[in-house]
Amino acid sequence: MFNYILKRFKKIVIRILALLFFLIFLLMTFLYLNYRLNNKYPNPNSVYSYVESNKTNEYLNEKNREFLKEKGIWAIRLSKDGTVIESFNKPKEVKDKFEITDVARFTRFYLADYPVFTYVVGDGLILFAYPKNSLDKLPFNYYNYNNFIINIELVGLFIILFLFLVYIFYRKDIKEIFKNTLPFQRALDSLYEDDYEKLDEYGELKDLATSINRANEKYNSLKVAQGKWIRGVSHDVRTPLANISWELSKENKESMDTKNIEEQVMKISNILEGLNLTMSLSNIEKESFTMESPLKVIRKLIVDKLNENRERKIIFNNNLKDQNIKIKMDPNLFYRMLENILKNSLIYTDGEIKVIISDDKDSLNIKILDEGEGIPENILDKINKEDLTNITKHGLGIFISKQIAELHDGNFIIKNKYPGLEVSFIFN
């Protein structure tokens, strides 16, 4: 939530800064263009000062001509009657004699479209003409006060509009923040309630919505699992307790079957151990897993079970292309995962048992097959649906194996072969 608010705040700041930078950019562009244009041609007063300081008998002597040529300026000097008495690079369209009306025009405006600047020298005039379209001459020597006030008001208006836009952006983003965060606040308030409404997972807060929805799903799954755990315990412990109670209720203590009591106590112990393991698997951290050889674990398991069941036949088929293959695992849990299946086959079947390990480009496959009667389909359905009720006789060990396989990012597949049962573990 904090990251989202911080992100929205950053957006507000970025928009404001973008507007500021845009205005600054326009201002700098304006100043730069004016600077470049103003510095492309020398100031007329500077030109006149240079020519005046370097004159000899002539204003347009060799040194001044070189200077004017370098600056791209042509010049003429007029006598008091308007006749051209000196010139440098004068265009052909410019007359050699000017009337007083001509002088009035080019002094105020242009001469043959050239911007000219006039200075009094002695009893005549000297004109410096810049290239066409180089400089603009302003045909006035005053500034309207009302225009000045209007310009000031416009600047003030622009500033107000800018601040208003900033405020609009701010209000819009704040409103959007509250609009987007309010559903999350409500969802958090009802996260563990039955009336929790799933959040829509879209937009900028998609990740947060997904996390909250997953938290609710995990809570519901935990609640369902706890309910199933309690129902499973109450159902499966009831029969052994009834048997124990029956033995203890006998008046003749000598006829009490202590072996039966021990078996029932062992059943209860195994049930509780298995159920506790199913609950504890959800809290195991995968970060503690290490790269280990599954082949090593399988060989140890088969040797252990053959030592315990010397009369049974367990066939091991090693079809691995890469004999050094390793996967990330907890060796003890991996052993328990395979042991549960193999142990069931040893207990509930009499025939041959096969353990097959193979690999291809992207996966490792482990199969355990027996020749028994298989498992009732309703038990298989309960295992797949993670329903622990009434599965402890055949399915609790299988269910634990399924959990361990999923903990190792593997796929668990179980199916009846008629006859026999086939359990597959696939790790990518």
Side-chain angles (χ1 to χ4, degrees):
M1 185 73 73
F2 175 75
N3 289 335
Y4 168 72
I5 294 174
L6 183 61
K7 186 187 294 185
R8 298 301 303 183
F9 179 74
K10 284 181 179 178
K11 278 192 174 182
I12 295 172
V13 173
I14 289 171
R15 285 178 178 176
I16 294 173
L17 291 177
L19 287 172
L20 284 174
F21 280 124
F22 179 68
L23 290 176
I24 293 172
F25 172 76
L26 291 179
L27 178 62
M28 294 300 293
T29 301
F30 173 78
L31 294 176
Y32 175 75
L33 292 176
N34 275 273
Y35 170 79
R36 287 293 301 272
L37 291 175
N38 285 337
N39 283 273
K40 186 175 181 180
Y41 299 98
N43 187 291
N45 291 337
S46 299
V47 174
Y48 170 71
S49 297
Y50 183 89
V51 171
E52 178 68 25
S53 62
N54 291 285
K55 69 179 180 179
T56 54
N57 294 331
E58 297 178 334
Y59 275 85
L60 302 178
N61 55 31
E62 190 65 29
K63 185 175 183 179
N64 285 337
R65 286 169 180 261
E66 288 295 329
F67 173 76
L68 295 173
K69 182 179 180 181
E70 180 183 343
K71 303 300 182 183
I73 298 172
W74 61 268
I76 57 176
R77 186 162 74 92
L78 306 179
S79 63
K80 63 180 179 179
D81 63 354
T83 303
V84 176
I85 55 177
E86 280 188 82
S87 69
F88 170 70
N89 283 346
K90 181 177 75 69
K92 293 180 179 180
E93 65 267 26
V94 177
K95 298 188 294 187
D96 292 326
K97 181 174 175 59
F98 296 90
E99 302 295 333
I100 191 170
T101 54
D102 297 326
V103 174
R105 288 193 188 94
F106 66 66
T107 301
R108 192 169 183 81
F109 299 104
Y110 295 82
L111 173 59
D113 292 331
Y114 291 94
V116 295
F117 300 90
T118 309
Y119 297 88
V120 177
V121 286
D123 57 356
L125 301 174
I126 189 168
L127 280 69
F128 300 108
Y130 286 71
K132 293 179 180 179
N133 302 316
S134 58
L135 300 178
D136 290 326
K137 294 187 68 177
L138 301 178
F140 54 83
N141 54 5
Y142 62 88
Y143 191 80
N144 190 302
Y145 176 76
N146 290 331
N147 287 343
F148 175 76
I149 295 299
I150 289 174
N151 288 334
I152 294 294
E153 290 175 348
L154 286 175
V155 171
L157 178 61
F158 291 158
I159 293 174
I160 292 172
L161 286 175
F162 170 75
L163 295 176
F164 177 73
L165 287 174
V166 170
Y167 176 76
I168 292 296
F169 287 146
Y170 168 79
R171 292 297 302 175
K172 182 177 180 297
D173 285 336
I174 291 297
K175 184 178 180 180
E176 202 169 322
I177 288 173
F178 282 110
K179 177 183 176 182
N180 290 335
T181 56
L182 185 59
F184 292 94
Q185 182 178 345
R186 292 172 179 167
L188 290 172
D189 291 339
S190 61
L191 183 61
Y192 303 120
E193 304 296 333
D194 294 332
D195 60 348
Y196 174 81
E197 294 183 8
K198 188 175 181 180
L199 291 167
D200 294 327
E201 298 176 5
Y202 68 89
E204 295 178 330
L205 294 175
K206 177 181 177 181
D207 293 339
L208 180 58
T210 301
S211 298
I212 295 176
N213 287 334
R214 284 180 180 173
N216 178 261
E217 290 171 3
K218 286 182 178 180
Y219 168 75
N220 288 330
S221 297
L222 178 61
K223 186 165 65 173
V224 171
Q226 287 175 339
K228 292 177 180 178
W229 190 89
I230 292 171
R231 290 195 300 272
V233 170
S234 63
H235 182 277
D236 296 310
V237 173
R238 189 180 303 129
T239 301
L241 286 176
N243 290 333
I244 294 172
S245 177
W246 171 259
E247 293 293 337
L248 293 176
S249 66
K250 291 180 178 179
E251 294 182 2
N252 186 0
K253 301 302 180 183
E254 293 180 358
S255 63
M256 185 183 299
D257 189 350
T258 56
K259 186 177 180 180
N260 184 33
I261 293 175
E262 289 176 358
E263 289 178 354
Q264 301 306 319
V265 170
M266 186 58 66
K267 280 186 180 180
I268 295 174
S269 176
N270 290 336
I271 290 170
L272 293 177
E273 180 188 358
L275 292 171
N276 284 329
L277 180 58
T278 63
M279 299 302 294
S280 64
L281 286 175
S282 60
N283 297 322
I284 293 176
E285 297 293 337
K286 295 182 183 179
E287 287 74 13
S288 62
F289 289 7
T290 56
M291 298 300 294
E292 303 288 345
S293 169
L295 188 59
K296 182 179 178 181
V297 176
I298 293 173
R299 282 174 173 164
K300 181 180 185 305
L301 171 65
I302 293 175
V303 170
D304 290 344
K305 294 308 170 187
L306 284 175
N307 288 334
E308 296 172 5
N309 304 271
R310 295 183 180 275
E311 75 286 355
R312 297 300 299 272
K313 187 175 182 181
I314 302 176
I315 299 175
F316 177 47
N317 292 333
N318 181 359
N319 299 328
L320 286 176
K321 299 173 185 176
D322 180 7
Q323 295 294 316
N324 298 316
I325 190 170
K326 292 183 178 182
I327 63 173
K328 203 169 186 181
M329 68 162 78
D330 180 311
N332 294 326
L333 287 176
F334 203 83
Y335 182 97
R336 178 66 178 272
M337 174 187 75
L338 300 174
E339 182 190 30
N340 288 344
I341 307 302
L342 190 56
K343 190 175 179 180
N344 274 1
S345 295
L346 290 168
I347 293 173
Y348 298 110
T349 69
D350 297 322
E352 184 179 272
I353 301 172
K354 290 183 180 180
V355 179
I356 304 171
I357 182 170
S358 62
D359 63 339
D360 54 28
K361 293 182 180 179
D362 302 316
S363 65
L364 170 72
N365 303 320
I366 302 172
K367 287 185 180 181
I368 300 177
L369 304 93
D370 61 40
E371 297 177 341
E373 297 179 356
I375 294 178
E377 292 296 332
N378 65 316
I379 298 297
L380 292 182
D381 189 55
K382 285 177 178 289
I383 292 170
N384 291 324
K385 291 181 179 179
E386 301 188 359
D387 184 354
L388 300 183
T389 57
N390 198 27
I391 68 168
T392 55
K393 182 178 179 181
H394 295 92
L396 183 56
I398 298 175
F399 176 74
I400 292 172
S401 294
K402 178 177 183 289
Q403 281 191 306
I404 296 174
E406 291 173 348
L407 184 63
H408 287 78
D409 298 323
N411 293 322
F412 175 89
I413 302 173
I414 183 170
K415 56 187 175 181
N416 288 312
K417 298 294 287 185
Y418 305 106
L421 183 73
E422 179 183 282
V423 178
S424 300
F425 301 93
I426 303 173
F427 303 93
N428 296 318

